[in-house]
């Protein structure tokens, strides 16, 4: 089984263009997608640090993670909140925790060949997660969202952390947007 077996929920199939200014082989770029919405991913990986930006000018998140002995530790931050991230690879199992003032998130993935599967628990709501990896991209699905990332050959567990982090950040951004629309409607 491989990445080619995943069908996109979006027709026609569109792949985001490489962002301007991202040159070199150390970049991860892509998008979190759900029907009618998209959330950009622009990260770099130097073998020790995963850093960059998720989202856009509005609802943007800064990501900074450091690798140490099979772990990624750091934060995902926007103007109003900070989530602390801890991801640990134990053999073929990846455990991820995002903790902050709002709903936290936990995920557990099992890697098998060019695939990973598991669950993402976001504030008590569980989502099945499926990921497929190829030499140049990863496609992850969690519930009604998919994350498509392009990369030059990074470790699968680092890409899984990037995909899960982007998924959670996008869900939080869309929840805040929905809450603001609800507030406007009630005013």
């Amino acid at each position: 089984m491989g990445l080619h077996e995943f069908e996109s929920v979006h027709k026609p199939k569109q792949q985001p263009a490489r962002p301007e200014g991202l040159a070199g082989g150390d970049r991860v770029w892509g998008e979190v997608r759900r029907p009618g919405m998209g959330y950009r991913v622009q990260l770099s990986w130097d073998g020790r640090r995963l850093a960059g930006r998720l989202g856009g000018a509005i609802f943007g998140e800064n990501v900074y993670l450091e690798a140490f002995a099979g772990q990624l530790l750091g934060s995902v931050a926007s103007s109003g909140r900070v989530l602390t991230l801890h991801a640990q690879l134990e053999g073929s199992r990846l455990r991820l925790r995002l903790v902050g003032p709002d709903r936290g998130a936990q995920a557990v993935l099992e890697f098998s060949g060019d695939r990973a599967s598991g669950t993402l628990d976001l504030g008590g709501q569980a989502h099945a997660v499926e990921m497929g990896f190829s030499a140049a991209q990863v496609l992850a699905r969690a519930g009604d969202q998919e994350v498509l990332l392009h990369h030059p050959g990074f470790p699968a567990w680092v890409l899984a952390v990037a995909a899960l982090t982007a998924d959670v950040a996008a869900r939080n951004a869309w929840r805040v947007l929905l809450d603001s629309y609800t507030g406007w409607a009630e005013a």
Side-chain angles (χ1 to χ4, degrees):
M1 290 189 195
L3 184 64
H4 64 280
E5 294 177 32
F6 281 92
E7 284 282 301
S8 175
V9 295
H10 306 284
K11 306 287 183 201
K13 198 168 200 171
Q14 297 176 349
Q15 295 188 6
R18 187 178 181 112
E20 289 184 33
L22 288 184
D26 65 345
R27 304 295 179 170
V28 177
W29 75 98
E31 183 176 40
V32 179
R33 300 183 290 203
R34 80 169 17 174
M37 297 182 181
Y39 190 77
R40 287 184 306 209
V41 177
Q42 297 182 41
L43 303 171
S44 65
W45 169 251
D46 66 5
R48 182 173 153 88
R49 286 178 290 280
L50 183 65
R53 189 149 173 88
L54 304 172
I58 299 174
F59 300 117
E61 310 278 347
N62 294 311
V63 175
Y64 185 82
L65 306 173
E66 292 266 347
F68 177 75
Q71 299 180 65
L72 279 172
L73 307 164
S75 64
V76 181
S78 66
S79 59
R81 67 196 164 105
V82 175
L83 297 174
T84 302
L85 183 142
H86 176 235
Q88 183 164 1
L89 182 64
E90 301 165 334
S92 64
R93 178 174 282 181
L94 175 69
R95 295 181 185 276
L96 178 133
R97 291 192 64 197
L98 278 160
V99 180
D102 292 339
R103 306 182 301 177
Q106 295 184 78
V108 177
L109 291 180
E110 288 285 338
F111 291 89
S112 177
D114 63 352
R115 300 177 62 79
S117 61
T119 58
L120 169 65
D121 183 329
L122 181 61
Q125 188 174 28
H127 301 279
V129 177
E130 294 288 331
M131 292 188 188
F133 301 90
S134 75
Q137 64 184 22
V138 59
L139 178 61
R141 284 211 179 124
D144 61 348
Q145 285 191 172
E146 70 178 23
V147 182
L148 177 62
L149 299 179
H150 302 274
H151 65 91
F154 297 158
W157 76 279
V158 171
L159 293 167
V161 170
L164 289 169
T165 302
D167 181 271
V168 170
R171 288 177 192 278
N172 285 335
W174 291 329
R175 182 179 50 84
V176 168
L177 183 61
L178 181 60
D179 288 350
S180 68
Y181 287 154
T182 302
W184 290 337
E186 293 173 355

